[in-house]
Amino acid sequence: MTPEQRNLMRLRENMRRQIITREADAAVRDLGLQLNPQERARFESRYVQERRKVEQSLRQQIETERQKEIPSLIQQLRKEFQIDEPGKSPVTKPAVSPKSGK
């Protein structure tokens, strides 16, 4: 990985952490909690931990849905790009040029 890529990844991770920290702060505010610094750190740690679980669960749900949809997508593409005879190129609709008037 190049130094630029590492820096970009570092920036993205820092931004993600800042967003999570802001959201944890907002949760403390919304709940009306008055926490000392130690409790606040513990709250934020639990928030991050539970958020990670939620995000993992959502990723699994998305992957499950993706796996359900892929076969129909493949069938659709197979029909769209069906080859009628060996040696022929896939059947596709020719692009219509806006200038041709068709």
Side-chain angles (χ1 to χ4, degrees):
M1 188 176 292
T2 68
E4 293 84 15
Q5 289 172 322
R6 280 193 298 263
N7 285 337
L8 182 58
M9 285 184 67
R10 223 176 271 122
L11 276 172
R12 286 181 181 164
E13 180 60 21
N14 287 338
M15 287 176 60
R16 187 183 75 77
R17 286 180 187 186
Q18 288 174 357
I19 289 168
I20 290 172
T21 299
R22 281 196 305 265
E23 289 176 0
D25 290 341
V28 168
R29 241 186 352 267
D30 292 347
L31 292 171
L33 299 173
Q34 300 295 319
L35 304 175
N36 65 41
Q38 185 179 7
E39 290 171 326
R40 187 176 202 82
R42 209 172 94 226
F43 180 92
E44 188 174 324
S45 175
R46 287 282 292 136
Y47 179 89
V48 169
Q49 183 181 41
E50 293 302 319
R51 181 181 168 128
R52 200 173 288 135
K53 287 179 187 178
V54 168
E55 289 174 351
Q56 178 62 30
S57 173
L58 290 171
R59 279 192 294 277
Q60 288 173 343
Q61 288 175 16
I62 290 170
E63 185 58 31
T64 300
E65 287 300 313
R66 180 181 296 120
Q67 292 305 317
K68 288 179 188 176
E69 297 293 327
I70 295 279
S72 63
L73 169 65
I74 291 171
Q75 288 302 318
Q76 177 186 343
L77 291 172
R78 178 179 287 149
K79 289 176 186 174
E80 187 176 330
F81 290 90
Q82 187 80 36
I83 297 175
D84 293 333
E85 296 176 22
K88 275 190 157 183
S89 62
V91 176
T92 58
K93 295 179 182 177
V96 177
S97 170
K99 293 181 181 178
S100 68
K102 291 184 180 180

